[in-house]
Amino acid sequence: MVITLDEFQNAASGCSIDTSVRWLKDLGAETGINFFDRSIAFWHNNEIKTVELTQIKSLVSEGILTPDTLIFNNLVAQKSEFQSKWQQKAGESWMKRYFQQIPA
């Protein structure tokens, strides 16, 4: 789910953010979906997979997550970033630190 706001029309206020969060929590309770989990989503064998952040290191070690793996970067903050960088290679995202080799 993507929620956007045109800040040229209205500014995000604490009340509007609280209302959105409450709505998402209510929707999650109705549907059994946790919209606030800390998982990442990525493409693997032509399927979208999700894993908890704590599993990233082991998936990198196993070769399941590579610098070329397409991930869904949920840290994008603007519409232009969403359009150009929501799906991006893991090695070009915030995950790049997991692929840096440690000197011997």
Side-chain angles (χ1 to χ4, degrees):
M1 177 170 298
V2 176
I3 298 175
T4 64
L5 170 68
D6 182 348
E7 289 186 321
F8 291 110
Q9 299 292 322
N10 290 300
S13 68
C15 290
S16 64
I17 293 168
D18 290 346
T19 299
S20 297
V21 169
R22 188 172 31 258
W23 181 79
L24 282 169
K25 285 183 178 180
D26 290 346
L27 180 62
E30 289 176 27
T31 61
I33 298 171
N34 180 0
F35 292 103
F36 297 94
D37 72 356
R38 302 280 300 176
S39 296
I40 64 156
F42 62 97
W43 285 99
H44 182 69
N45 294 331
N46 295 319
E47 291 183 34
I48 297 173
K49 302 287 187 178
T50 59
V51 296
E52 294 180 14
L53 289 174
T54 57
Q55 296 179 307
I56 292 174
K57 286 183 183 179
S58 63
L59 292 175
V60 168
S61 295
E62 296 170 27
I64 294 171
L65 281 174
T66 70
D68 291 326
T69 301
L70 283 179
I71 66 159
F72 293 87
N73 183 0
N74 293 329
L75 297 180
V76 295
Q78 297 177 343
K79 181 181 177 183
S80 61
E81 288 181 311
F82 177 77
Q83 293 171 322
S84 65
K85 295 182 181 177
W86 184 48
Q87 286 190 63
Q88 70 180 149
K89 291 181 179 182
E92 297 172 3
S93 74
W94 60 270
M95 290 181 60
K96 64 185 169 194
R97 68 180 178 263
Y98 293 100
F99 306 108
Q100 296 172 350
Q101 293 196 5
I102 301 171

